[in-house]
Amino acid sequence: MMDNLRAASNHVVLKIILGLIILSFVLTGVGNYLIGGGSDYAAKVNGHEISRAELEQAYNSERNRQQQMLGEQFSQLASNEGYMQQMRQQALSQLIDQTLLDQYIKDLHIGISDDQVKQAIFNQKAFQTNGKFDNGKYNALIGNMGFSADQYAEALRKQLATQQLINAVANTDFMLKDETTKLVDLVSQKRDIRQAVIDVNALAAKQTVTDQEIDQYYQQHQNSFMAPEQYRVSYIKMDAASLQETASDTDIQSWYDQHKADYTQPQRNRYSVIQTKTEADAKAVLDALKKGEDFATLAKTKSVDPITARKGGDMGWLEPETTPDELKSANLTQKGQLSGVINSSVGFLVARLDDIQPEQVKPLADVRDAIAEKVKQEKAVDAFYKLQQKVSEAASNDNESLAGAAQASGLKVVETGWISRDAVPAELDFDPVKQAIFNGGLVGQNGAPGNNSDVISVDGDRAFVLRISEHKPEAVKPLEQVKAQIADTLKHDKATQQAKAQADKLLADLKAGKDDALSAAGLTLSASQSVDRNAQDPVAQFAFNLPQPAANKPSWGVSEDRQGNVVLVALDKVSAGTLPQAQVDEMVKGVTQNNAQIAFEALLENLRKAAKIKYGAAEQNQ
């Protein structure tokens, strides 16, 4: 099974690629292949055991995925025990679903051939270089995942079978031509409307409110007039960028001498190999080479390693750390020198040293600017941490102000105005700083100033020490402060009620055939406007809720526009529209996919109902 890929995984070049590439690669759906079982299981599904190890891996994979996706927000979620327990239960539920699908696939005798698995591997972009399958990259990636070629192929076979089942379910749904036509007509429908607007703001300007009404509203809605908790903050800011100094020639030379290995390319050798299955074949190859036969020709015809064979045995340039031990032990030191027969873990080899590239060291002049920048950064970081230590000690020794820390550091104390959680100065707008300010730990009793903070580092190159100078707790704003706001709200409420009452009366008159009702109220209808279902205007959206108009008579309704005005809407005409064929196809695809999703969820639900599922200690002890 998978003979070519298994043979490729055993060739000597794999060791070289693994030495050159460090890469983390996760392929969804195959990670559990190597997980073993155990007596402490999480669940049994129709007798099949899901181990604790499988549950832990699935849980950790989901945890890592969410951490990468949510960033700093995930740390807050991770502190919620209930949320993390829910994540674990979801991971187990997904494992159970996958097990049920695997068993169902087996019952249906769905099979994936070797050729299908090979083609799936060849088509994976992760395994390609410049659009072509790269066997070396393939071996390196699956090796880092802990797979052999056979193990990976079997795991992928399992995933492809699941995908085949999903496709079979998804492809069962379709729409009839008549259904599609009706849906297109409904979606593309257009409506011609006219509008008469009752200006609520104009009516509000004519309203009056009493002090009693204002006071009553204030008492009933005090939660709407809360002044947020406020702070005045004193702080000292430390910035590594401000501490950079010019790097001296002595510093640059010293750094270069200490890190010369970073600028040294070690000796590289270029080898060619011919790999055989038996020692006798290797000896025959070696004899032919000694008689003068061409190495590249023999490699192409005799080597069982498909990668190096295509290249005439050439392995490319190898550095000491990427040279296989078998080649090192051959002790090839001269260009053109042949090895004897080498017994290796992948068979038998005959090797030739094709070329030698001596060790090369970049001169200081070529890397001086880069080293100068590194030295500046290192010195700045060192000075930055020393400054933090000095400020921390001074702020701790004098805990009633930042004066001592300012004197010790030579930095200025900055004082903010009143700030709240929703209004933080840009210079302090960092999560660790805001947490220190607003978590209450720096506030003394009865709102008095408390202690200085510890040093708070942000973004790796800035740090703060701060203290709360003054604090105001959350409180209801005084009536006088919000009186004008309440009066405007009450006037607007009264105006809206008046406008709606007026609109309702006009609507009744218009439906009764009193066509002059609008003009009598001083209102006029706008010019006709054609709108479709994609319109964002609330009046246009409302028009699609109105019944179709009768012959030569509009259909009427009352709505509100974005400004809060009350609007009388006349629907004059309903007409069918058209959609581009590409949009129709996409719409049909969306409907069928949604139906297929419902069908697939129903399949899973039926499998769960029919299954015997027993939860084990690994799940119950979490």
Side-chain angles (χ1 to χ4, degrees):
M1 179 181 59
M2 302 298 295
D3 293 333
N4 291 338
L5 290 175
R6 181 170 61 250
S9 73
N10 289 330
H11 68 72
V12 71
V13 177
L14 173 59
K15 297 183 179 180
I16 302 161
I17 296 173
L18 290 177
L20 294 173
I21 299 177
I22 300 175
L23 185 63
S24 175
F25 178 76
V26 176
L27 183 61
T28 303
V30 302
N32 290 333
Y33 184 81
L34 296 179
I35 301 298
S39 59
D40 187 13
Y41 63 89
K44 285 185 179 180
V45 182
N46 294 325
H48 174 85
E49 185 175 292
I50 298 174
S51 68
R52 173 190 286 272
E54 285 179 288
L55 174 57
E56 289 301 323
Q57 186 191 49
Y59 169 69
N60 289 330
S61 295
E62 177 62 17
R63 180 187 176 98
N64 292 337
R65 186 190 70 82
Q66 291 200 24
Q67 189 169 12
Q68 292 176 4
M69 180 176 66
L70 299 176
E72 292 183 359
Q73 295 179 5
F74 180 75
S75 60
Q76 297 178 354
L77 294 173
S79 64
N80 186 325
E81 184 177 347
Y83 179 83
M84 301 309 290
Q85 180 64 21
Q86 182 181 2
M87 186 191 300
R88 182 181 296 278
Q89 291 171 351
Q90 182 178 354
L92 180 57
S93 177
Q94 290 172 347
L95 287 174
I96 292 172
D97 286 347
Q98 183 60 54
T99 302
L100 289 170
L101 288 175
D102 292 343
Q103 294 171 348
Y104 188 57
I105 288 167
K106 186 176 181 180
D107 291 341
L108 294 177
H109 303 291
I110 294 176
I112 303 295
S113 69
D114 286 355
D115 287 340
Q116 286 175 295
V117 175
K118 289 179 184 178
Q119 197 58 47
I121 292 173
F122 293 153
N123 291 340
Q124 277 284 345
K125 291 186 178 180
F127 299 150
Q128 295 178 0
T129 300
N130 297 326
K132 294 183 178 181
F133 176 71
D134 186 328
N135 206 35
K137 182 181 289 187
Y138 162 75
N139 281 312
L141 290 173
I142 68 171
N144 282 343
M145 292 163 60
F147 286 103
S148 70
D150 280 350
Q151 289 170 335
Y152 179 80
E154 285 308 301
L156 184 56
R157 189 190 307 276
K158 181 178 177 181
Q159 184 191 23
L160 291 173
T162 302
Q163 189 60 51
Q164 191 175 98
L165 173 62
I166 293 172
N167 291 340
V169 174
N171 292 334
T172 59
D173 195 79
F174 62 92
M175 288 184 65
L176 297 173
K177 184 176 180 180
D178 185 55
E179 292 177 322
T180 302
T181 301
K182 290 180 179 179
L183 180 61
V184 170
D185 289 345
L186 183 63
V187 171
S188 63
Q189 187 184 93
K190 295 183 180 296
R191 297 196 166 198
D192 295 346
I193 61 172
R194 292 173 293 159
Q195 306 177 42
V197 179
I198 301 176
D199 190 337
V200 170
N201 287 331
L203 292 176
K206 301 176 182 179
Q207 305 297 320
T208 59
V209 292
T210 65
D211 287 343
Q212 183 180 358
E213 289 175 314
I214 292 174
D215 184 67
Q216 183 179 7
Y217 187 94
Y218 175 73
Q219 297 299 331
Q220 294 174 350
H221 299 84
Q222 288 196 357
N223 288 339
S224 302
F225 306 115
M226 299 298 295
E229 189 176 27
Q230 293 181 296
Y231 301 81
R232 291 175 66 92
V233 181
S234 301
Y235 66 91
I236 293 174
K237 177 185 176 183
M238 295 161 277
D239 192 340
S242 65
L243 302 175
Q244 287 193 359
E245 301 176 4
T246 303
S248 67
D249 291 342
T250 301
D251 291 335
I252 293 173
Q253 182 68 54
S254 176
W255 203 96
Y256 176 75
D257 292 339
Q258 294 174 22
H259 299 83
K260 190 170 290 185
D262 295 343
Y263 305 103
T264 300
Q265 179 180 290
Q267 176 179 312
R268 301 196 302 169
N269 294 340
R270 190 161 193 159
Y271 295 93
S272 291
V273 296
I274 298 174
Q275 180 179 324
T276 65
K277 291 184 178 180
T278 68
E279 184 176 9
D281 289 342
K283 287 180 178 180
V285 166
L286 184 59
D287 290 341
L289 291 171
K290 289 179 177 180
K291 292 177 182 178
E293 291 196 34
D294 182 62
F295 194 104
T297 301
L298 283 173
K300 291 178 181 179
T301 57
K302 300 295 184 181
S303 181
V304 297
D305 173 13
I307 294 181
T308 56
R310 288 197 300 268
K311 300 177 181 179
D314 182 28
M315 298 178 64
W317 290 103
L318 303 178
E319 295 183 1
E321 65 269 20
T322 59
T323 302
D325 292 338
E326 294 92 339
L327 293 183
K328 290 180 180 178
S329 63
N331 295 321
L332 302 179
T333 59
Q334 303 296 322
K335 292 182 182 179
Q337 183 179 356
L338 283 172
S339 71
V341 174
I342 302 171
N343 187 356
S344 77
S345 60
V346 296
F348 295 88
L349 306 174
V350 175
R352 183 182 68 187
L353 177 59
D354 295 329
D355 204 353
I356 300 173
Q357 193 175 78
E359 178 182 273
Q360 297 178 4
V361 181
K362 290 183 180 180
L364 176 59
D366 290 353
V367 294
R368 180 183 179 84
D369 291 345
I371 290 177
E373 187 62 30
K374 289 179 182 292
V375 171
K376 284 173 59 178
Q377 291 176 358
E378 286 190 358
K379 293 179 71 174
V381 168
D382 185 55
F384 180 53
Y385 286 118
K386 289 180 179 177
L387 177 62
Q388 287 187 56
Q389 183 64 31
K390 184 185 295 185
V391 170
S392 177
E393 291 176 356
S396 178
N397 292 334
D398 179 9
N399 218 346
E400 295 185 354
S401 76
L402 292 177
Q407 184 176 3
S409 64
L411 299 173
K412 293 182 179 180
V413 177
V414 180
E415 181 87 15
T416 71
W418 287 107
I419 67 174
S420 65
R421 294 177 186 271
D422 298 326
V424 178
E427 190 167 58
L428 297 179
D429 195 9
F430 301 96
D431 287 342
V433 174
K434 291 188 289 187
Q435 184 177 0
I437 294 172
F438 300 119
N439 69 3
L442 300 181
V443 179
Q445 292 184 349
N446 300 321
N451 297 327
N452 297 332
S453 74
D454 295 328
V455 172
I456 304 169
S457 297
V458 297
D459 290 351
D461 60 356
R462 277 166 287 183
F464 296 85
V465 170
L466 50 87
R467 65 180 288 104
I468 305 300
S469 304
E470 293 183 74
H471 171 254
K472 291 180 181 178
E474 183 182 52
V476 180
K477 296 178 182 178
L479 175 58
E480 289 303 316
Q481 189 175 339
V482 296
K483 188 173 184 178
Q485 175 186 346
I486 294 174
D488 288 341
T489 299
L490 290 172
K491 289 178 181 179
H492 195 274
D493 289 347
K494 287 183 177 182
T496 300
Q497 292 173 9
Q498 181 181 338
K500 288 181 177 179
Q502 182 184 359
D504 290 340
K505 183 178 184 305
L506 287 170
L507 186 62
D509 290 343
L510 290 166
K511 289 181 177 180
K514 297 180 181 179
D515 297 334
D516 61 345
L518 286 176
S519 58
L523 299 175
T524 57
L525 284 167
S526 67
S528 180
Q529 175 189 7
S530 180
V531 297
D532 59 34
R533 292 186 183 274
N534 293 324
Q536 300 299 311
D537 177 37
V539 175
Q541 289 293 315
F542 170 77
F544 283 88
N545 296 325
L546 293 174
Q548 294 208 19
N552 300 320
K553 287 188 177 182
S555 177
W556 291 94
V558 177
S559 181
E560 290 187 22
D561 63 17
R562 288 173 175 167
Q563 290 73 42
N565 297 314
V566 176
V567 182
L568 280 156
V569 184
L571 172 59
D572 296 318
K573 180 181 178 183
V574 176
S575 57
T578 59
L579 293 176
Q581 187 59 45
Q583 189 173 342
V584 173
D585 293 342
E586 192 65 27
M587 182 173 61
V588 171
K589 180 181 177 182
V591 172
T592 55
Q593 284 181 342
N594 182 66
N595 292 342
Q597 177 68 24
I598 295 172
F600 190 74
E601 289 176 357
L603 169 63
L604 270 177
E605 183 64 26
N606 288 335
L607 291 175
R608 291 190 199 103
K609 288 180 179 178
K612 294 181 179 179
I613 301 174
K614 179 181 179 182
Y615 293 96
E619 190 276 338
Q620 295 169 356
N621 292 336
Q622 301 304 323

